[in-house]
Amino acid sequence: MAGRGEAMEDGDLSAFWKRAKETKPPICAKVPFSFPPMFGDTREDPHHWLRDERRENPEVLAHLEAENAYTDALLPCGEGTESTAADGPTTEGEEGEGLSMRVLLEREMKARVKQEDRSVPLRKGNFWYYTREEEGKQYPIHCRRAAAGSASAAAAAAATNRATASTGKAAATDTAVDGPECKSRDFFTESMDERVTEEVVLDENREAEGRSFFHVDSVAVSPNHEYVAYSLDVRGDERYVIHVRPVSCSHCIASPSAAEPAEGGVAAAAAAAPAAASRSAGANVGVAAETAAAAVEYVAADADADGDADLAAESLPVVMAEAAATTLDTDVITAEFGTSGEVCWADDNQTLFYVAQDEKDRACRVMRHVIGAPVSQDVCVFFEEDEAFDVGINRTSSDRFVIVTCGSAVTSFLLAIDVGRPFDPPRQLVPRVHNVEVYGDHSASHFFLLRRSAELWNSELLALPVSSSDHTHGAGEHGQPSVVLPHDPNVKLQSVTAFKRHVAVFERVKGLQRIRCIPLRSNGSPASEDAKLVEFNEAAFEISPLRSQFESPLLRFSFSSLVTPTTVMERDMDTDRQAARKVDWVGPSFDPSLYSSRRLFATAADGTQVPISLVHRTATPSDPPPAAASNGPPWPMLLYAYGAYEVPTRLSFSSDRLSLLDRGVAVAIAHVRGGGDWDYQWYLDGKLLRKRNTVSDVIACAEHLIKEGLTTPDRLALEGRSAGGIPVGAAVNERPDLFRSAVAGVPFVDVLSTMLDASLHLTITEWEEWGNPKEEQYYRYIKSYSPVDNVKRQAYPNVLATASLHDQRVNYWEPAKWVARLRDANSSEDSVVLLRCEMDAGHFSKTGRFDRLADVALRYAFILYTLGMQ
């Protein structure tokens, strides 16, 4: 039997390849279809019939189910399906006998998940907030405890004593009462008092019961800590419904009937909804029913105006039935095409801001909602007409403003809503200028803004006094904003987080991250000359800012690397004291010394040096001979690439990845152009008419790894996800000889067709990323690399593509068409082409912390089998 990293014997592999030879793939019907000619070019698409925007065509659904059945036949997901046991790591106490590779991997990865876990508590006002997980449960439970010594803690103790006296059992506390802040606090040593009774703010597991898909985006507690608003998606299409309820009700159980459709559709369901619980700030009996009815009336009216009443009547009941008001809800906020999921409170504890989407799922309207009022009375405080722009909202670190960010791929500007004056119009902080991007945060007296332009491509940091911003021009009587950190062609400014007495700037230098901590003077102005740099020594790592206490000098961030589990760090920006508050648990036997990481550079066709981050298991004297022998190169290897939207490829630790590393598979990450892994120019060199650089970089990285003897073509797998499907699909078209297999997760592969269809979600907003193919130069350039358009008769490597039926970012028909074309064109009898479509999820697949492992296990099993590994 094969050991870790040792190629399987023929008998071990025969089960997989025997299934591959004996099982016939689905035949995708061909229906003649031609796109309208453009620039003298005509394209045929015989699989165009797979496109069904309603996701209900029985022929399409049957084909997707047939694809799933074929994939499951080759990569079984049940027990007793393998003729031999899979060797290598297994769950503690399990031998792996009789388990399919997928089941074995899933159990193995689940064993590395800490069943009962808790986040690092964060103090907000008089409460400590945190999330925790319970054994066997998929989703987090949002909780809090009152801060010791506060009036809230006293109220909690009193409530506990009353409950204990009357029932003999400890009970959750009543609504907390805010008290004065402690005057003298040592932030660095301050911690939550475990003796104070815990309150459940939101139990996602209860909300998820009975739903095949479930995702909570935002959870926002009101400033007085009495109410919680959260956004919920129950289909995977990222059209969120916002629920509002008293925190004191969150430990209760909602009426099961509230989530069921009533006789007669949505209107009847709304009429049948029970009265909501009374609220301390003005009871509003029946608000849930009134709001649900108003939402239906509002949507129907809009649908009639657009001449699409039938569509609204057919589609809305599904959404409302699945996300209807329960007995716990005070309000339910919906919109015709859903909300983006973002929600922010005003300081009056009665007003909420959210973002409504249009028919293309573009977030474009900032809405103001008053608790208890019908949704039909919600006011649009900002509307972005330009379809190239999206809108987002967030509360500043100071909690004084709601920032409205309106941006396209190359332009963005900011508006601010004073949370103390929610009915005032938003103030524009800076002018709207094409090809200038602005992002920022707020401290006591200043907005701190990152501004980027063609001349300042790595961004500069600006300080804008609050009194200087006006409604229109962004600079008032106090003049223009001042420069805190000037543009540096060698230092990319990534993000800024403001504190009461500091500003933290996350930077990137030659691809590696660092933090700059800038103190603020007593008047709130920055003392940039006294800034301190925080740098890290590992070869490949990831740091990310986390929510911190605005009043404190403690910067909270996460640190992780390819060999170091994610660690929550806190650094005192005054004293430079630093402490690890939490290190992720990844199993009882994990030893980081058994793994090694390094950074390599491949030379692209134009001479550009492309970074590669590599991690692999190292040989140790305690390893058995097969494993020790396999831990030297050439390794079986997985090469991962993305390269789009200026998004850097994360170098964080993955406990799932251990299932590959411990079997002797090395993992390489190609930091190709188009991503945000270097400076801004790195991104520009991989978009629009330079997008082919992304593809050639991937090929150059594969060639370099092979040339250096680190792997071989028959031991190399390529993987990419979403927009990373472009380099994967293009690379296997252009250099199939370099790879044994390829995995494309929800891949964007039909680039030309999608970018020509302005009716689809994201198309118009992404013309600035890929180009508008209605212009001939972009049409011909995109067609030159679009994976679907360049499939040709040749021997392809093994390919696994995944899709999700309700994905609105990359529609399921893109990977489905790509797979059909690959099968038709593949001349190799030694490779398989598979598709797995998740029928109850969206772009990010399943969301439960255990359910998501099934997708990882599928991909890893495919990689291990096709690389000849076990």
Side-chain angles (χ1 to χ4, degrees), residues 275-486:
S278 297
R279 299 183 290 116
S280 60
N284 193 349
V285 178
V287 168
E290 178 185 0
T291 304
V296 175
E297 179 182 347
Y298 173 59
V299 172
D302 276 4
D304 288 337
D306 294 338
D308 201 9
D310 291 340
L311 176 60
E314 291 176 14
S315 62
L316 184 61
V318 176
V319 177
M320 287 299 295
E322 291 179 339
T326 71
T327 52
L328 306 183
D329 291 326
T330 298
D331 272 26
V332 175
I333 305 171
T334 187
E336 181 177 4
F337 303 104
T339 80
S340 67
E342 299 164 311
V343 57
C344 296
W345 287 91
D347 274 354
D348 61 3
N349 303 295
Q350 293 288 297
T351 306
L352 283 169
F353 295 96
Y354 64 95
V355 181
Q357 301 179 151
D358 65 12
E359 68 279 2
K360 297 178 185 177
D361 297 304
R362 181 177 70 97
C364 56
R365 288 181 172 87
V366 179
M367 306 296 294
R368 183 178 66 231
H369 174 78
V370 176
I371 302 301
V375 177
S376 58
Q377 295 180 10
D378 288 359
V379 175
C380 179
V381 301
F382 176 77
F383 171 60
E384 176 53 53
E385 294 181 312
D386 191 332
E387 290 188 78
F389 284 70
D390 284 308
V391 175
I393 59 173
N394 65 280
R395 276 181 74 119
T396 58
S397 297
S398 65
D399 277 330
R400 182 175 166 186
F401 294 95
V402 170
I403 293 291
V404 178
T405 303
C406 184
S408 71
V410 298
T411 304
S412 66
F413 63 98
L414 306 178
L415 300 95
I417 301 172
D418 189 329
V419 295
R421 304 173 63 89
F423 294 92
D424 286 357
R427 297 187 294 170
Q428 188 166 323
L429 299 183
V430 292
R432 177 174 181 159
V433 180
H434 182 61
N435 275 340
V436 173
E437 297 175 81
V438 181
Y439 303 95
D441 201 357
H442 170 260
S443 184
S445 59
H446 288 75
F447 292 101
F448 288 92
L449 310 176
L450 293 181
R451 180 170 65 183
R452 181 167 64 196
S453 65
E455 297 77 20
L456 311 171
W457 63 88
N458 275 340
S459 299
E460 61 180 353
L461 177 64
L462 307 176
L464 175 68
V466 172
S467 58
S468 293
S469 59
D470 66 15
H471 301 311
T472 307
H473 303 293
E477 58 180 345
H478 291 75
Q480 297 295 323
S482 59
V483 176
V484 180
L485 294 178

Side-chain angles (χ1 to χ4, degrees), residues 104-187:
L104 175 68
L105 289 167
E106 189 171 349
R107 292 188 180 185
E108 187 176 297
M109 292 183 286
K110 187 175 180 179
R112 301 190 196 104
V113 177
K114 191 173 184 180
Q115 290 280 334
E116 295 189 356
D117 202 2
R118 190 176 77 180
S119 67
V120 181
L122 179 68
R123 184 165 178 177
K124 185 175 177 64
N126 286 334
F127 289 91
W128 291 92
Y129 285 88
Y130 56 94
T131 60
R132 59 178 175 84
E133 287 83 27
E134 292 184 349
E135 184 173 0
K137 294 187 177 181
Q138 297 272 7
Y139 300 100
I141 303 170
H142 302 259
C143 304
R144 72 183 184 190
R145 282 185 167 95
S150 67
S152 301
T160 302
N161 292 337
R162 289 194 301 271
T164 303
S166 61
T167 66
K169 298 179 180 180
T173 63
D174 203 348
T175 302
V177 179
D178 281 334
E181 287 284 338
C182 298
K183 297 299 182 183
S184 177
R185 295 168 58 184
D186 182 351
F187 290 100

Side-chain angles (χ1 to χ4, degrees), residues 41-76:
D41 181 49
T42 300
R43 294 185 302 131
E44 306 292 332
D45 186 0
H47 305 115
H48 185 78
W49 68 272
L50 287 169
R51 173 173 172 169
D52 173 29
E53 294 187 46
R54 289 178 178 269
R55 275 78 171 167
E56 59 187 23
N57 184 317
E59 294 180 353
V60 172
L61 297 178
H63 177 74
L64 296 177
E65 293 287 10
E67 290 283 6
N68 288 348
Y70 175 60
T71 297
D72 290 344
L74 268 63
L75 298 169

Side-chain angles (χ1 to χ4, degrees), residues 455-780:
E455 297 77 20
L456 311 171
W457 63 88
N458 275 340
S459 299
E460 61 180 353
L461 177 64
L462 307 176
L464 175 68
V466 172
S467 58
S468 293
S469 59
D470 66 15
H471 301 311
T472 307
H473 303 293
E477 58 180 345
H478 291 75
Q480 297 295 323
S482 59
V483 176
V484 180
L485 294 178
H487 174 257
D488 186 332
N490 299 312
V491 180
K492 178 181 179 181
L493 307 185
Q494 286 191 297
S495 67
V496 58
T497 301
F499 295 77
K500 188 174 183 178
R501 295 187 293 110
H502 300 84
V503 172
V505 182
F506 283 68
E507 305 176 345
R508 189 178 290 270
V509 181
K510 295 183 178 180
L512 299 178
Q513 296 171 282
R514 69 184 189 187
I515 306 170
R516 186 185 300 267
C517 302
I518 305 172
L520 301 181
R521 302 183 181 93
S522 58
N523 65 355
S525 64
S528 54
E529 67 277 6
D530 295 327
K532 301 175 182 178
L533 286 178
V534 183
E535 298 182 291
F536 306 88
N537 293 323
E538 290 205 38
F541 62 90
E542 182 81 25
I543 56 172
S544 300
L546 300 176
R547 186 75 179 184
S548 304
Q549 290 189 63
F550 174 75
E551 299 84 3
S552 85
L554 299 185
L555 169 65
R556 182 175 292 187
F557 62 95
S558 66
F559 175 87
S560 181
S561 79
L562 296 178
V563 298
T564 306
T566 301
T567 304
V568 176
M569 306 291 298
E570 279 191 330
R571 182 180 183 87
D572 190 319
M573 292 181 283
D574 284 333
T575 66
D576 296 336
R577 287 186 298 176
Q578 187 165 290
R581 301 303 189 190
K582 181 178 187 289
V583 180
D584 279 0
W585 183 88
V586 291
S589 59
F590 173 73
D591 180 356
S593 68
L594 298 178
Y595 308 90
S596 176
S597 68
R598 51 179 146 154
R599 192 160 70 147
L600 313 170
F601 288 89
T603 302
D606 61 0
T608 300
Q609 295 294 293
V610 182
I612 305 171
S613 297
L614 178 68
V615 60
H616 59 90
R617 185 179 169 104
T618 57
T620 66
S622 61
D623 278 331
S630 69
N631 277 301
W635 294 291
M637 184 178 291
L638 172 63
L639 174 63
Y640 182 89
Y642 183 70
Y645 306 115
E646 201 193 351
V647 174
T649 305
R650 293 183 62 85
L651 293 174
S652 52
F653 184 85
S654 168
S655 63
D656 301 339
R657 192 186 294 135
L658 295 177
S659 290
L660 295 180
L661 299 177
D662 287 349
R663 287 175 170 82
V665 179
V667 177
I669 298 172
H671 302 281
V672 297
R673 284 174 283 185
D677 305 82
W678 206 260
D679 58 9
Y680 187 61
Q681 190 62 44
W682 195 258
Y683 164 57
L684 296 179
D685 285 342
K687 63 179 293 191
L688 296 174
L689 296 175
R690 284 174 274 183
K691 186 62 197 172
R692 290 193 58 84
N693 284 336
T694 306
V695 181
S696 62
D697 285 356
V698 169
I699 292 173
C701 289
E703 290 176 328
H704 179 80
L705 292 168
I706 294 168
K707 179 182 177 181
E708 293 298 310
L710 299 175
T711 189
T712 57
D714 64 337
R715 308 188 91 187
L716 180 59
L718 176 63
E719 183 179 19
R721 192 179 192 282
S722 192
I726 292 176
V728 169
V732 298
N733 280 335
E734 297 180 19
R735 291 295 308 275
D737 58 301
L738 290 176
F739 309 101
R740 177 61 179 157
S741 57
V743 178
V746 289
F748 182 32
V749 285
D750 197 6
V751 187
L752 185 57
S753 298
T754 296
M755 286 296 100
L756 281 168
D757 191 344
S759 71
L760 293 175
H761 177 47
L762 293 179
T763 291
I764 294 177
T765 61
E766 296 201 353
W767 281 341
E768 291 178 331
E769 180 75 22
W770 315 105
N772 182 354
K774 294 179 181 180
E775 301 176 26
E776 184 173 2
Q777 64 172 341
Y778 287 111
Y779 178 92
R780 299 198 182 281

Side-chain angles (χ1 to χ4, degrees), residues 260-271 296 317 320-321:
E260 296 295 328
E263 191 72 28
V266 182
V296 175
M320 287 299 295

